[in-house]
Every structure is written in C-alpha cells, then in structure tokens.
Amino acid sequence: VQLVESGGGSVLAGGSLRLSCAASRYRGSMAWFRQAPGKVREGVAAIYSVYSGVGRTQYADSVKGRFTISQDDAKSTAYLQMNNLLPEDTAMYYCAAGFGGGSWYVPNEYRYWGQGTQVTVS
C-alpha cells in the first residue's frame, strides 16, 4: 500500500488549500494528521465506512467548521478542503489509512502512512 499526498503550499491567513491523498492497492477508511515542529502528531480529520461503527467523519475541535474531509467513490483517494486557514494550521500534513480500531485520532491506530505535504500559513 502506498499513500501519496499533494496540494500543500504557502498561503496567507484566511486562504484555502485542498490536499489530496491517492492510495494504491487500498480502499477504505482514511485520515489526515498533522505535525508541527516540536509538537506531537495530531489527528485532523478522518472518514470511515458506515459499517466501521466509528462514525462517517470525525474532526479535531480546532478545525471543525473550517476543514472538510471527503473521499472519492472508489474510496482510494481522500481530500482535505481547508478554508479560513490560520497560522497555527502550519504543519506537515500526513495521510493515514488502515485504521485498526480504537480512537481515530491516535496515530498508532493506523497501519499505512504517506510522506507528508507541507502547509505554511502566514
């Protein structure tokens, strides 16, 4: 399984970006995490099968109302639409897949990871 993120960049506060995560040999639940320098990796948003028992989408409180996670019909590509970006959203953003259960925002619950895409908000 390979996950490839794209769409990162530098924007001014209040701007928008759309991240994409393309998965090869994988279809199913996916999530976005981020990690700023000197900070732990944190869950941003996740999208799950309606049969997973977790809930269709989940968001960190800090991004609710600003970020939207979605997935294509094949469930092999995930998107993160980020609006009204703030400087504190600056981080490396990672795509994750292969949710093993438990808490959606815990990195160790995911088996597969992408290399990350940098988002800088100034």
Coordinates of all heavy atoms in Angstrom, one line a residue, residues 15-110:
G15 N -6.8 32.1 3.8 CA -6.8 31.5 2.5 C -7.3 30.0 2.6 O -7.6 29.5 3.6
S16 N -7.2 29.3 1.4 CA -7.7 27.9 1.3 C -6.7 27.1 0.6 O -5.9 27.6 -0.2 CB -9.0 27.9 0.6 OG -10.0 28.6 1.3
L17 N -6.7 25.8 0.9 CA -5.9 24.8 0.2 C -6.7 23.5 0.2 O -7.5 23.3 1.1 CB -4.6 24.5 0.9 CG -3.4 25.5 0.8 CD1 -2.3 25.1 1.7 CD2 -3.0 25.6 -0.7
R18 N -6.5 22.7 -0.8 CA -7.1 21.4 -0.9 C -6.0 20.3 -1.0 O -5.3 20.3 -2.0 CB -8.0 21.3 -2.1 CG -8.9 20.0 -2.1 CD -9.6 19.9 -3.4 NE -10.7 18.9 -3.3 CZ -11.1 18.1 -4.3 NH1 -10.5 18.3 -5.5 NH2 -12.0 17.3 -4.2
L19 N -5.9 19.5 0.0 CA -5.0 18.4 0.0 C -5.6 17.1 -0.6 O -6.8 16.9 -0.4 CB -4.5 18.1 1.4 CG -3.9 19.2 2.2 CD1 -3.4 18.7 3.6 CD2 -2.8 19.9 1.4
S20 N -4.8 16.3 -1.3 CA -5.3 15.1 -1.8 C -4.3 14.0 -1.4 O -3.1 14.2 -1.1 CB -5.2 15.1 -3.4 OG -6.1 16.1 -3.9
C21 N -4.9 12.8 -1.2 CA -4.1 11.6 -0.8 C -4.6 10.4 -1.7 O -5.7 10.0 -1.6 CB -4.4 11.2 0.6 SG -3.6 9.7 1.1
A22 N -3.7 10.0 -2.6 CA -4.0 8.9 -3.5 C -3.4 7.6 -3.0 O -2.2 7.6 -2.7 CB -3.5 9.2 -4.9
A23 N -4.3 6.6 -2.8 CA -3.8 5.3 -2.3 C -3.7 4.3 -3.4 O -4.6 4.3 -4.3 CB -4.8 4.9 -1.2
S24 N -2.7 3.5 -3.4 CA -2.6 2.4 -4.3 C -2.8 1.1 -3.5 O -2.3 1.0 -2.4 CB -1.2 2.4 -5.0 OG -0.2 2.3 -4.0
R25 N -3.5 0.2 -4.1 CA -3.8 -1.1 -3.5 C -4.5 -1.0 -2.2 O -4.3 -1.8 -1.3 CB -2.5 -1.9 -3.4 CG -1.9 -2.2 -4.7 CD -0.7 -3.1 -4.6 NE 0.3 -2.6 -3.7 CZ 1.2 -1.7 -4.0 NH1 1.3 -1.2 -5.2 NH2 2.1 -1.3 -3.1
Y26 N -5.4 0.0 -2.1 CA -6.1 0.2 -0.8 C -7.4 0.9 -1.1 O -7.4 1.9 -1.9 CB -5.3 1.0 0.2 CG -6.0 1.3 1.4 CD1 -6.0 0.4 2.5 CD2 -6.8 2.5 1.6 CE1 -6.7 0.7 3.7 CE2 -7.5 2.8 2.7 CZ -7.4 1.8 3.8 OH -8.1 2.1 4.9
R27 N -8.4 0.5 -0.5 CA -9.7 1.2 -0.5 C -10.3 1.1 0.9 O -10.4 0.0 1.5 CB -10.7 0.5 -1.5 CG -10.2 0.5 -2.9 CD -11.1 -0.3 -3.9 NE -12.4 0.3 -3.9 CZ -13.4 -0.3 -4.7 NH1 -13.2 -1.3 -5.4 NH2 -14.6 0.3 -4.7
G28 N -10.8 2.2 1.5 CA -11.4 2.1 2.8 C -11.2 3.4 3.5 O -10.9 4.5 3.0
S29 N -11.3 3.3 4.8 CA -11.2 4.5 5.7 C -9.8 5.2 5.6 O -8.8 4.5 5.5 CB -11.4 4.0 7.2 OG -12.6 3.3 7.3
M30 N -9.8 6.5 5.7 CA -8.6 7.3 5.6 C -8.7 8.4 6.5 O -9.8 8.8 7.0 CB -8.4 7.7 4.1 CG -8.2 6.6 3.2 SD -8.1 7.1 1.4 CE -6.4 7.6 1.4
A31 N -7.5 9.0 6.9 CA -7.5 10.1 7.8 C -6.4 11.0 7.5 O -5.4 10.7 6.7 CB -7.3 9.6 9.2
W32 N -6.4 12.2 8.0 CA -5.4 13.2 7.9 C -4.9 13.6 9.3 O -5.7 13.8 10.2 CB -5.9 14.5 7.2 CG -6.1 14.4 5.8 CD1 -7.3 14.1 5.2 CD2 -5.2 14.5 4.7 NE1 -7.2 14.0 3.8 CE2 -5.9 14.3 3.5 CE3 -3.8 14.8 4.7 CZ2 -5.2 14.3 2.3 CZ3 -3.2 14.8 3.5 CH2 -3.9 14.6 2.3
F33 N -3.6 13.6 9.4 CA -2.9 14.0 10.6 C -2.0 15.2 10.3 O -1.7 15.4 9.1 CB -2.0 12.9 11.2 CG -2.8 11.9 11.9 CD1 -3.6 10.9 11.2 CD2 -2.8 11.8 13.3 CE1 -4.4 10.0 11.8 CE2 -3.6 10.8 14.0 CZ -4.3 9.9 13.2
R34 N -1.5 15.9 11.3 CA -0.5 17.0 11.1 C 0.5 17.0 12.2 O 0.2 16.6 13.3 CB -1.2 18.3 10.9 CG -1.9 18.9 12.1 CD -2.6 20.1 11.8 NE -3.3 20.7 12.9 CZ -4.1 21.8 12.9 NH1 -4.4 22.4 11.7 NH2 -4.7 22.2 14.0
Q35 N 1.6 17.5 11.9 CA 2.7 17.6 12.9 C 3.5 18.9 12.7 O 4.1 19.0 11.6 CB 3.6 16.4 12.9 CG 4.6 16.4 14.0 CD 5.3 15.0 14.2 OE1 5.3 14.2 13.3 NE2 5.8 14.8 15.3
A36 N 3.5 19.7 13.6 CA 4.3 21.0 13.6 C 5.6 20.7 14.3 O 5.7 19.8 15.1 CB 3.5 22.1 14.3
P37 N 6.6 21.5 14.0 CA 7.9 21.3 14.6 C 7.8 21.3 16.1 O 7.2 22.3 16.7 CB 8.7 22.5 14.0 CG 8.1 22.8 12.7 CD 6.7 22.5 12.9
G38 N 8.4 20.3 16.8 CA 8.4 20.3 18.2 C 7.1 19.8 18.9 O 7.0 19.8 20.1
K39 N 6.2 19.4 18.0 CA 4.9 19.0 18.6 C 4.6 17.6 18.2 O 5.2 17.1 17.2 CB 3.7 19.9 18.1 CG 3.9 21.4 18.6 CD 2.6 22.2 18.3 CE 2.7 23.6 18.9 NZ 1.5 24.4 18.6
V40 N 3.6 17.0 18.9 CA 3.2 15.6 18.6 C 2.3 15.6 17.3 O 1.7 16.6 17.0 CB 2.5 14.9 19.7 CG1 3.5 14.9 20.9 CG2 1.3 15.6 20.1
R41 N 2.3 14.5 16.7 CA 1.4 14.3 15.5 C -0.1 14.3 16.0 O -0.4 13.5 17.0 CB 1.7 13.1 14.8 CG 1.0 12.9 13.4 CD 1.6 11.8 12.6 NE 3.0 12.1 12.3 CZ 3.7 11.4 11.4 NH1 3.1 10.4 10.7 NH2 5.0 11.7 11.1
E42 N -0.9 15.0 15.4 CA -2.3 15.1 15.9 C -3.3 14.8 14.8 O -3.0 15.1 13.6 CB -2.6 16.5 16.5 CG -2.5 17.6 15.5 CD -3.0 18.9 16.1 OE1 -3.5 18.9 17.2 OE2 -2.9 20.0 15.4
G43 N -4.4 14.2 15.2 CA -5.4 13.9 14.2 C -6.2 15.1 13.8 O -6.5 15.9 14.6
V44 N -6.4 15.3 12.5 CA -7.1 16.4 12.0 C -8.5 16.0 11.5 O -9.5 16.7 11.9 CB -6.4 17.0 10.8 CG1 -7.2 18.2 10.1 CG2 -5.0 17.5 11.2
A45 N -8.6 15.0 10.8 CA -9.9 14.5 10.3 C -9.8 13.1 9.8 O -8.8 12.7 9.4 CB -10.4 15.5 9.2
A46 N -11.0 12.4 9.8 CA -11.0 11.1 9.3 C -12.3 10.8 8.7 O -13.4 11.4 9.0 CB -10.8 10.1 10.5
I47 N -12.3 9.8 7.8 CA -13.6 9.4 7.1 C -13.6 7.9 7.1 O -12.6 7.3 6.7 CB -13.7 10.1 5.7 CG1 -15.0 9.8 5.1 CG2 -12.5 9.6 4.8 CD1 -15.3 10.7 3.8
Y48 N -14.8 7.4 7.4 CA -14.9 5.9 7.6 C -16.1 5.3 6.9 O -17.0 6.0 6.6 CB -15.0 5.6 9.1 CG -13.8 6.0 9.9 CD1 -13.8 7.2 10.5 CD2 -12.7 5.2 9.9 CE1 -12.6 7.6 11.2 CE2 -11.5 5.6 10.5 CZ -11.5 6.8 11.2 OH -10.4 7.2 11.8
S49 N -16.0 4.0 6.7 CA -17.1 3.3 6.2 C -18.3 3.4 7.2 O -18.0 3.4 8.4 CB -16.7 1.8 6.0 OG -17.8 1.0 5.9
V50 N -19.5 3.4 6.6 CA -20.6 3.5 7.5 C -20.7 2.2 8.4 O -21.4 2.2 9.4 CB -21.9 3.7 6.7 CG1 -21.9 5.0 6.0 CG2 -22.1 2.6 5.7
Y51 N -20.0 1.2 8.0 CA -20.0 -0.1 8.8 C -19.0 -0.1 9.8 O -18.8 -1.1 10.5 CB -19.9 -1.2 7.8 CG -21.0 -1.2 6.7 CD1 -20.6 -0.9 5.4 CD2 -22.3 -1.5 7.0 CE1 -21.6 -0.9 4.4 CE2 -23.3 -1.5 6.0 CZ -22.9 -1.2 4.7 OH -23.9 -1.1 3.8
S52 N -18.1 0.9 9.9 CA -17.0 0.8 10.9 C -17.4 1.0 12.3 O -16.7 0.6 13.2 CB -16.0 1.9 10.5 OG -16.5 3.2 10.8
G53 N -18.6 1.6 12.5 CA -19.0 1.8 13.9 C -18.4 3.1 14.5 O -18.7 3.4 15.6
V54 N -17.5 3.8 13.8 CA -16.9 4.9 14.3 C -17.6 6.2 14.0 O -17.6 7.1 14.8 CB -15.4 5.0 13.8 CG1 -14.7 6.3 14.3 CG2 -14.6 3.8 14.2
G55 N -18.3 6.2 12.9 CA -19.0 7.5 12.5 C -18.4 7.9 11.2 O -17.3 7.6 10.9
R56 N -19.2 8.5 10.3 CA -18.8 8.7 8.9 C -17.6 9.7 8.8 O -16.6 9.4 8.1 CB -20.0 9.4 8.1 CG -19.7 9.5 6.7 CD -19.6 8.1 6.0 NE -19.4 8.3 4.5 CZ -18.3 7.9 3.9 NH1 -17.3 7.3 4.6 NH2 -18.1 8.1 2.7
T57 N -17.6 10.8 9.5 CA -16.5 11.7 9.6 C -16.2 12.1 11.0 O -17.1 12.2 11.8 CB -16.7 12.9 8.7 OG1 -17.9 13.6 9.1 CG2 -16.8 12.5 7.2
Q58 N -14.9 12.4 11.3 CA -14.5 12.9 12.6 C -13.6 14.1 12.3 O -12.8 14.1 11.4 CB -13.8 11.8 13.3 CG -14.6 10.6 13.6 CD -15.6 10.7 14.7 OE1 -15.6 11.7 15.4 NE2 -16.5 9.8 14.9
Y59 N -13.6 15.1 13.2 CA -12.8 16.3 13.1 C -12.2 16.6 14.5 O -12.9 16.5 15.5 CB -13.5 17.5 12.5 CG -14.0 17.3 11.1 CD1 -15.3 16.8 10.9 CD2 -13.2 17.6 10.1 CE1 -15.7 16.7 9.6 CE2 -13.6 17.5 8.7 CZ -14.9 17.0 8.5 OH -15.3 16.8 7.2
A60 N -11.0 17.2 14.4 CA -10.5 17.8 15.6 C -11.2 19.1 15.9 O -11.7 19.8 14.9 CB -9.0 18.1 15.4
D61 N -11.4 19.4 17.2 CA -12.2 20.6 17.5 C -11.6 21.9 16.8 O -12.3 22.8 16.5 CB -12.2 20.8 19.0 CG -13.1 19.8 19.7 OD1 -14.0 19.2 19.0 OD2 -13.0 19.6 20.9
S62 N -10.3 21.9 16.7 CA -9.6 23.1 16.2 C -9.9 23.3 14.7 O -9.6 24.4 14.2 CB -8.1 22.9 16.4 OG -7.6 21.8 15.7
V63 N -10.4 22.4 14.0 CA -10.6 22.5 12.6 C -12.1 22.4 12.2 O -12.5 22.7 11.0 CB -9.8 21.6 11.7 CG1 -8.3 21.6 12.1 CG2 -10.3 20.1 11.9
K64 N -13.0 22.1 13.1 CA -14.4 22.0 12.8 C -14.9 23.3 12.3 O -14.7 24.4 12.8 CB -15.2 21.6 14.1 CG -15.1 20.1 14.5 CD -15.9 19.8 15.7 CE -15.7 18.4 16.1 NZ -16.5 18.0 17.3
G65 N -15.7 23.2 11.2 CA -16.3 24.3 10.5 C -15.4 25.0 9.5 O -15.8 25.9 8.8
R66 N -14.1 24.6 9.5 CA -13.1 25.1 8.5 C -12.6 24.1 7.6 O -12.4 24.4 6.4 CB -11.9 25.8 9.3 CG -12.3 26.9 10.2 CD -11.1 27.6 10.8 NE -10.2 26.7 11.6 CZ -8.9 26.5 11.3 NH1 -8.4 27.0 10.2 NH2 -8.2 25.7 12.0
F67 N -12.4 22.9 8.0 CA -11.9 21.8 7.2 C -13.0 20.8 6.9 O -13.9 20.5 7.7 CB -10.8 21.0 7.9 CG -9.5 21.8 8.1 CD1 -9.4 23.2 7.9 CD2 -8.4 21.2 8.6 CE1 -8.3 23.9 8.1 CE2 -7.2 21.9 8.8 CZ -7.1 23.2 8.5
T68 N -12.9 20.2 5.7 CA -13.9 19.2 5.3 C -13.1 18.0 4.7 O -12.3 18.2 3.7 CB -14.9 19.7 4.3 OG1 -15.6 20.8 4.8 CG2 -15.9 18.6 3.9
I69 N -13.3 16.8 5.2 CA -12.7 15.6 4.6 C -13.7 14.9 3.7 O -14.9 14.9 4.0 CB -12.2 14.7 5.7 CG1 -11.4 13.6 5.1 CG2 -13.4 14.1 6.5 CD1 -10.6 12.7 6.1
S70 N -13.3 14.4 2.6 CA -14.1 13.7 1.7 C -13.3 12.6 1.0 O -12.1 12.5 1.1 CB -14.7 14.7 0.6 OG -13.7 15.3 -0.1
Q71 N -14.0 11.8 0.2 CA -13.4 10.6 -0.4 C -14.1 10.4 -1.7 O -15.3 10.6 -1.9 CB -13.5 9.4 0.5 CG -12.5 8.3 0.3 CD -12.6 7.3 1.4 OE1 -13.6 7.1 2.0 NE2 -11.5 6.6 1.6
D72 N -13.3 9.9 -2.7 CA -14.0 9.6 -4.0 C -14.8 8.3 -3.8 O -14.7 7.6 -2.9 CB -12.9 9.5 -5.1 CG -12.0 8.3 -4.9 OD1 -12.0 7.6 -3.8 OD2 -11.2 8.0 -5.9
D73 N -15.6 8.0 -4.8 CA -16.5 6.9 -4.8 C -15.7 5.6 -4.7 O -16.2 4.6 -4.1 CB -17.4 6.8 -6.0 CG -18.4 8.0 -6.0 OD1 -18.6 8.6 -4.9 OD2 -19.0 8.3 -7.1
A74 N -14.5 5.5 -5.2 CA -13.7 4.3 -5.1 C -13.1 4.1 -3.8 O -12.5 3.0 -3.5 CB -12.7 4.3 -6.2
K75 N -13.2 5.1 -2.9 CA -12.6 5.1 -1.6 C -11.1 4.9 -1.6 O -10.5 4.3 -0.7 CB -13.3 4.1 -0.7 CG -14.8 4.3 -0.5 CD -15.3 3.4 0.5 CE -16.9 3.5 0.6 NZ -17.4 4.9 0.6
S76 N -10.4 5.4 -2.7 CA -9.0 5.2 -2.8 C -8.3 6.6 -2.8 O -7.1 6.6 -2.8 CB -8.6 4.4 -4.1 OG -9.1 5.1 -5.2
T77 N -9.0 7.6 -2.8 CA -8.5 9.0 -2.7 C -9.2 9.8 -1.7 O -10.5 9.8 -1.7 CB -8.5 9.7 -4.1 OG1 -7.8 8.9 -5.1 CG2 -7.9 11.1 -4.0
A78 N -8.5 10.4 -0.8 CA -9.1 11.3 0.2 C -8.7 12.7 0.0 O -7.6 13.0 -0.5 CB -8.7 10.8 1.6
Y79 N -9.6 13.6 0.3 CA -9.3 15.0 0.2 C -9.5 15.7 1.5 O -10.3 15.3 2.3 CB -10.3 15.6 -0.9 CG -10.3 14.9 -2.2 CD1 -11.2 13.9 -2.5 CD2 -9.3 15.2 -3.2 CE1 -11.2 13.3 -3.7 CE2 -9.3 14.6 -4.4 CZ -10.2 13.6 -4.6 OH -10.2 12.9 -5.8
L80 N -8.8 16.8 1.7 CA -9.0 17.7 2.8 C -9.1 19.1 2.3 O -8.1 19.7 1.9 CB -7.9 17.5 3.8 CG -8.1 18.3 5.2 CD1 -9.2 17.7 5.9 CD2 -6.8 18.3 6.0
Q81 N -10.3 19.6 2.3 CA -10.5 21.0 1.9 C -10.3 21.9 3.2 O -11.0 21.7 4.2 CB -11.9 21.2 1.4 CG -12.2 22.7 1.0 CD -11.4 23.2 -0.1 OE1 -11.2 22.5 -1.1 NE2 -10.9 24.4 0.0
M82 N -9.4 22.8 3.1 CA -9.0 23.6 4.3 C -9.3 25.1 3.9 O -8.7 25.6 3.0 CB -7.6 23.4 4.6 CG -7.2 22.0 4.9 SD -5.5 21.8 5.5 CE -4.6 22.4 4.0
N83 N -10.3 25.6 4.6 CA -10.7 27.0 4.4 C -10.4 27.9 5.7 O -10.2 27.3 6.8 CB -12.2 27.1 4.1 CG -12.6 26.4 2.9 OD1 -11.8 26.3 1.9 ND2 -13.8 25.9 2.9
N84 N -10.3 29.2 5.5 CA -10.0 30.1 6.6 C -8.8 29.6 7.4 O -8.9 29.5 8.6 CB -11.3 30.2 7.5 CG -11.1 31.3 8.5 OD1 -10.3 32.3 8.3 ND2 -11.8 31.2 9.6
L85 N -7.7 29.4 6.7 CA -6.5 28.9 7.3 C -5.9 29.9 8.3 O -6.0 31.1 8.0 CB -5.5 28.5 6.3 CG -5.8 27.1 5.6 CD1 -5.1 27.0 4.2 CD2 -5.4 26.0 6.5
L86 N -5.4 29.4 9.4 CA -4.8 30.2 10.4 C -3.3 29.8 10.5 O -2.9 28.7 10.1 CB -5.5 29.9 11.7 CG -7.0 30.1 11.8 CD1 -7.5 29.5 13.1 CD2 -7.3 31.5 11.6
P87 N -2.5 30.8 11.0 CA -1.0 30.4 11.2 C -0.8 29.2 12.0 O 0.1 28.4 11.7 CB -0.5 31.7 11.9 CG -1.4 32.8 11.4 CD -2.8 32.2 11.3
E88 N -1.7 28.9 12.9 CA -1.5 27.7 13.8 C -1.8 26.4 13.0 O -1.6 25.3 13.5 CB -2.3 27.8 15.0 CG -3.8 28.2 14.8 CD -4.0 29.7 15.0 OE1 -3.2 30.5 14.5 OE2 -5.0 30.0 15.7
D89 N -2.3 26.5 11.8 CA -2.5 25.3 10.9 C -1.2 24.9 10.2 O -1.2 23.9 9.6 CB -3.6 25.6 9.9 CG -5.0 25.8 10.5 OD1 -5.3 25.1 11.4 OD2 -5.7 26.7 10.0
T90 N -0.2 25.7 10.4 CA 1.1 25.4 9.7 C 1.6 24.1 10.3 O 1.8 24.0 11.5 CB 2.1 26.5 10.0 OG1 1.6 27.7 9.3 CG2 3.5 26.2 9.4
A91 N 1.9 23.2 9.4 CA 2.4 21.8 9.8 C 2.7 21.0 8.6 O 2.3 21.4 7.5 CB 1.4 21.1 10.7
M92 N 3.3 19.9 8.8 CA 3.4 18.8 7.8 C 2.1 18.0 7.9 O 1.8 17.6 9.0 CB 4.6 18.0 8.0 CG 4.8 16.9 6.9 SD 5.3 17.6 5.3 CE 7.0 17.9 5.7
Y93 N 1.4 17.8 6.8 CA 0.1 17.1 6.8 C 0.4 15.7 6.3 O 0.9 15.5 5.2 CB -0.9 17.8 6.1 CG -1.5 19.0 6.9 CD1 -0.8 20.1 7.1 CD2 -2.8 18.9 7.4 CE1 -1.3 21.2 7.9 CE2 -3.3 20.0 8.1 CZ -2.6 21.1 8.3 OH -3.1 22.1 9.1
Y94 N -0.1 14.7 7.0 CA 0.1 13.3 6.6 C -1.2 12.6 6.4 O -2.2 12.8 7.1 CB 0.8 12.5 7.7 CG 2.2 13.0 7.9 CD1 2.5 14.0 8.9 CD2 3.3 12.5 7.2 CE1 3.8 14.4 9.2 CE2 4.6 13.0 7.5 CZ 4.8 13.9 8.5 OH 6.1 14.4 8.7
C95 N -1.3 11.8 5.4 CA -2.4 10.9 5.1 C -2.2 9.6 5.8 O -1.0 9.1 5.8 CB -2.6 10.7 3.6 SG -3.9 9.6 3.1
A96 N -3.2 9.0 6.4 CA -3.1 7.7 7.0 C -4.2 6.8 6.6 O -5.3 7.3 6.3 CB -3.1 7.9 8.5
A97 N -4.0 5.5 6.6 CA -5.0 4.5 6.2 C -4.8 3.2 7.0 O -3.7 3.0 7.6 CB -5.0 4.3 4.7
G98 N -5.7 2.3 6.9 CA -5.6 1.0 7.6 C -5.9 1.2 9.0 O -5.2 0.7 9.9
F99 N -7.0 1.8 9.3 CA -7.5 2.0 10.7 C -7.7 0.7 11.4 O -8.5 -0.1 10.9 CB -8.7 2.9 10.7 CG -9.3 3.2 12.1 CD1 -8.5 3.9 13.0 CD2 -10.6 2.8 12.4 CE1 -9.1 4.2 14.3 CE2 -11.1 3.0 13.7 CZ -10.3 3.7 14.6
G100 N -7.1 0.5 12.6 CA -7.2 -0.8 13.3 C -8.3 -0.8 14.4 O -8.4 -1.8 15.0
G101 N -9.0 0.3 14.6 CA -10.0 0.4 15.6 C -9.5 1.3 16.7 O -8.3 1.8 16.7
G102 N -10.3 1.5 17.8 CA -9.9 2.4 18.8 C -10.2 3.9 18.5 O -11.1 4.2 17.8
S103 N -9.3 4.8 19.0 CA -9.6 6.2 18.8 C -9.0 6.7 17.4 O -7.9 6.4 17.1 CB -8.9 7.0 19.9 OG -9.4 6.6 21.2
W104 N -9.8 7.4 16.7 CA -9.5 7.7 15.3 C -8.3 8.7 15.3 O -7.6 8.8 14.3 CB -10.7 8.4 14.6 CG -11.0 9.8 15.1 CD1 -11.8 10.1 16.1 CD2 -10.4 11.0 14.6 NE1 -11.9 11.5 16.3 CE2 -11.0 12.1 15.4 CE3 -9.5 11.3 13.6 CZ2 -10.7 13.4 15.2 CZ3 -9.2 12.7 13.4 CH2 -9.8 13.7 14.2
Y105 N -8.1 9.4 16.3 CA -7.0 10.5 16.4 C -5.7 10.0 16.9 O -4.8 10.8 17.1 CB -7.5 11.7 17.2 CG -8.0 11.3 18.6 CD1 -7.2 11.1 19.6 CD2 -9.4 11.0 18.8 CE1 -7.7 10.7 20.9 CE2 -9.9 10.7 20.0 CZ -9.0 10.5 21.0 OH -9.5 10.1 22.3
V106 N -5.6 8.7 17.2 CA -4.3 8.1 17.7 C -3.5 7.6 16.5 O -3.9 6.7 15.8 CB -4.6 7.0 18.7 CG1 -3.3 6.4 19.1 CG2 -5.4 7.6 19.9
P107 N -2.3 8.1 16.3 CA -1.5 7.7 15.1 C -1.3 6.2 15.1 O -1.2 5.6 14.0 CB -0.2 8.5 15.3 CG -0.6 9.7 16.0 CD -1.7 9.3 17.0
N108 N -1.0 5.6 16.2 CA -0.7 4.2 16.3 C -1.8 3.3 15.8 O -1.6 2.1 15.6 CB -0.3 3.8 17.7 CG 1.1 4.3 18.0 OD1 1.9 4.7 17.1 ND2 1.5 4.2 19.3
E109 N -3.0 3.8 15.7 CA -4.2 3.0 15.2 C -4.1 2.8 13.7 O -5.0 2.1 13.1 CB -5.5 3.7 15.6 CG -5.7 3.8 17.1 CD -5.9 2.5 17.8 OE1 -6.0 1.4 17.1 OE2 -6.1 2.5 19.0
Y110 N -3.2 3.4 13.0 CA -3.2 3.4 11.5 C -1.9 2.6 11.1 O -0.8 2.8 11.6 CB -3.2 4.8 10.9 CG -4.5 5.5 11.2 CD1 -4.6 6.2 12.4 CD2 -5.5 5.5 10.3 CE1 -5.8 6.8 12.7 CE2 -6.7 6.2 10.6 CZ -6.8 6.8 11.8 OH -8.0 7.4 12.1

